[in-house]
């Protein structure tokens, strides 16, 4: 399988696309063509790695990694991804729990897969590959966990001092010697700008081999198609129905994977994007004009994106707003509605949801009755509520129990280096790893 940029350059192999992250023309890599599947192609595959093997193998044709595919999948899917029936709900509604990975958010799937691929493509361990990652919270932890202690790989995580939760800060700073955690005295945007400056700095790039692991890497996207395939096939085998999915959406990576799975023939019904108060996608569907803007801070902070970069892939794959809005739904959810949804979820389901997941449960409650009744629904849970306990606990009036993976991480010692958003300070810190 070859890969082309959304701005048309290419072709390149999967290995090049993984290693580069972003195409030289500034576009995002997409496979040349999506393979097609029938549910019967997955007969006999009843584990997630088994489904992933069938689904992802065509994407690895021509890659040096093809013989390692099963090992890569075994490393990626070390944790369960169950769809749990929601007790009090009318109709067939379940919650797809994407939060059982090491850092309790769905980004563990993409980060784990990318790390498993890149570490195998990195043959020269004498000259390590340094992954730079700016994070507003969840991404940095998932990437650090995925690359932790891998030979020949280093990770530099930059996060804005005082703007991530205490638990998030801890999980950015509790890794092995190959992970450098930098607390930056500035904003997330300044962290991101610093990464860009470093990757373009001629002096730094003479001494370091940099790469990035942000969500536009095709290696983060591909494995995410797997849980949509697995959940929809299981549902279809059980009921004969194609479930609809409601997906908390920020940069559109997670939802794009669901759309790709549906394009590949998997039994998926309606797909609805639930965003927070950042309305760029909702306004695009409404006005047909693409107007990216600065992001607003909301309670669902991992979705605070005003310029979702994966829209470029979605438009390339499916079409412009007039086509997209026929194929996808979108609802923008306010902070007040997120808080109300967390409260209703706790009352109705008997457990807490995180603020991101609450955008999906709110959207489900807002469905018109005939649409709601016409389909079975799978609501996507993107993070464990214990990661956002300072928001969730006051609303439900109870402590959210820590899941074992978070308890383990929070028991480790944490360390970080503080820098100003300054390239010279970053360079010094990197030299010290
Ligand atoms: C990153 C993230 C999202 C948004 O996912 P995208 O792929 O950027 O749309 C939603 N919820 C949580 C918990 C996240 O960490």
């Amino acid at each position: 399988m070859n890969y082309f940029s959304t701005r048309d350059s290419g072709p390149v192999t999967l290995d090049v696309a993984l290693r580069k992250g972003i195409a030289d023309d500034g576009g995002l890599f997409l496979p040349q063509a999506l393979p097609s599947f029938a549910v019967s192609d997955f007969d006999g595959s009843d584990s997630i790695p088994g489904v992933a093997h069938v689904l992802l193998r065509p994407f690895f044709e021509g890659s040096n990694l093809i013989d390692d595919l099963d090992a890569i999948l075994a490393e990626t899917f070390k944790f369960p991804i169950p769809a749990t029936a929601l007790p009090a709900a009318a109709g067939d509604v379940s919650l797809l729990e994407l939060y059982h990975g090491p850092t309790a958010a769905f980004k563990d799937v993409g980060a784990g897969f990318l790390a498993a691929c890149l570490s195998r493509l990195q043959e020269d361990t004498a000259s390590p590959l340094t992954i730079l990652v700016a994070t507003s919270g969840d991404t940095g932890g998932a990437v650090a966990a995925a690359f932790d202690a891998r030979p020949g790989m280093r990770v530099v995580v930059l996060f804005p001092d005082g703007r991530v939760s205490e638990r998030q800060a801890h999980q950015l700073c509790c890794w092995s010697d190959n992970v450098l955690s930098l607390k930056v005295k500035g904003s997330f945007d300044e962290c991101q700008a610093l990464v860009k400056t470093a990757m373009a700095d001629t002096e730094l790039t003479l001494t370091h081999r940099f790469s990035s692991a942000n969500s536009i890497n095709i290696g983060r996207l591909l494995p995410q198609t797997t849980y949509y395939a697995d959940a929809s096939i299981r549902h279809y085998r059980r009921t004969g129905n194609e479930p609809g999915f409601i997906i908390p959406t920020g940069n559109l990576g997670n939802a794009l994977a669901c759309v790709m799975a549906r394009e590949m023939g998997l039994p998926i019904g309606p797909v609805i994007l639930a965003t927070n108060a950042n309305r760029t996608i909702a306004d695009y569907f409404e006005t047909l004009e693409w107007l990216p803007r600065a992001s607003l801070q909301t309670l669902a902070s991992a979705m605070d994106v005003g310029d979702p970069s994966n829209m470029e892939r979605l438009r390339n794959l499916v079409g412009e707003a007039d086509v997209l809005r026929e194929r996808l739904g979108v609802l923008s959810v306010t902070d007040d509605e997120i808080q109300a949804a967390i409260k209703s979820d706790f009352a109705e389901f008997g457990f807490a949801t995180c603020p991101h997941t609450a955008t999906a449960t709110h959207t489900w409650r807002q469905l018109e009755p005939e649409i709601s009744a016409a389909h079975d629904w799978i609501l996507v849970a993107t993070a464990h509520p214990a990661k956002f306990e300072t928001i969730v606990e006051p609303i439900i009036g109870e402590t959210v129990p820590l899941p074992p993976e978070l308890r383990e991480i929070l028991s480790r010692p944490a360390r970080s280096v503080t820098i100003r958003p300054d390239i010279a300070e970053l360079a010094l810190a990197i030299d010290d790893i």
Side-chain angles (χ1 to χ4, degrees), residues 396-417:
I396 64 168
E398 281 185 28
T399 310
V400 180
L402 272 178
E405 48 281 353
L406 276 187
R407 192 173 320 129
E408 197 277 315
I409 280 183
L410 294 174
S411 70
R412 298 181 184 192
R415 64 193 158 78
S416 63
V417 173

Side-chain angles (χ1 to χ4, degrees), residues 105-107 138 248-255 302-303 354 356 382-383 388:
F106 84 91
K107 293 190 175 75
D138 279 344
T249 294
N251 208 29
L252 249 173
N254 199 7
M303 292 159 44
C354 90
H356 311 84
T382 48
F388 303 95

Side-chain angles (χ1 to χ4, degrees), residues 104-107 137-139 168 215 220 224 247-256 300-305 308 310 354 356-357 381-384 387-388:
F106 84 91
K107 293 190 175 75
D138 279 344
T139 303
Q168 278 180 323
S215 69
R220 301 255 316 251
Q224 293 173 178
I247 307 168
T249 294
N251 208 29
L252 249 173
N254 199 7
L256 179 64
S301 54
M303 292 159 44
D304 289 349
V305 182
N310 277 303
C354 90
H356 311 84
T357 305
T382 48
H384 193 283
K387 282 189 97 162
F388 303 95

Side-chain angles (χ1 to χ4, degrees), residues 39-120:
V39 173
S40 58
D41 293 331
F42 297 89
D43 287 353
S45 314
D46 46 16
S47 66
I48 292 202
V51 168
H53 177 95
V54 175
L55 188 71
L56 298 184
R57 204 185 144 83
F59 295 99
F60 278 75
E61 292 297 340
S63 162
N64 289 327
L65 296 171
I66 194 156
D67 293 335
D68 286 340
L69 180 58
D70 284 329
I72 291 167
L73 295 174
E75 266 178 46
T76 307
F77 296 105
K78 275 187 293 209
F79 44 87
I81 305 184
T84 303
L86 289 177
D92 193 316
V93 182
S94 49
L95 191 75
L96 184 60
E97 299 176 9
L98 302 183
Y99 52 68
H100 295 289
T103 68
F106 84 91
K107 293 190 175 75
D108 284 323
V109 172
F113 182 86
L114 182 62
C117 290
L118 284 183
S119 62
R120 286 174 172 80

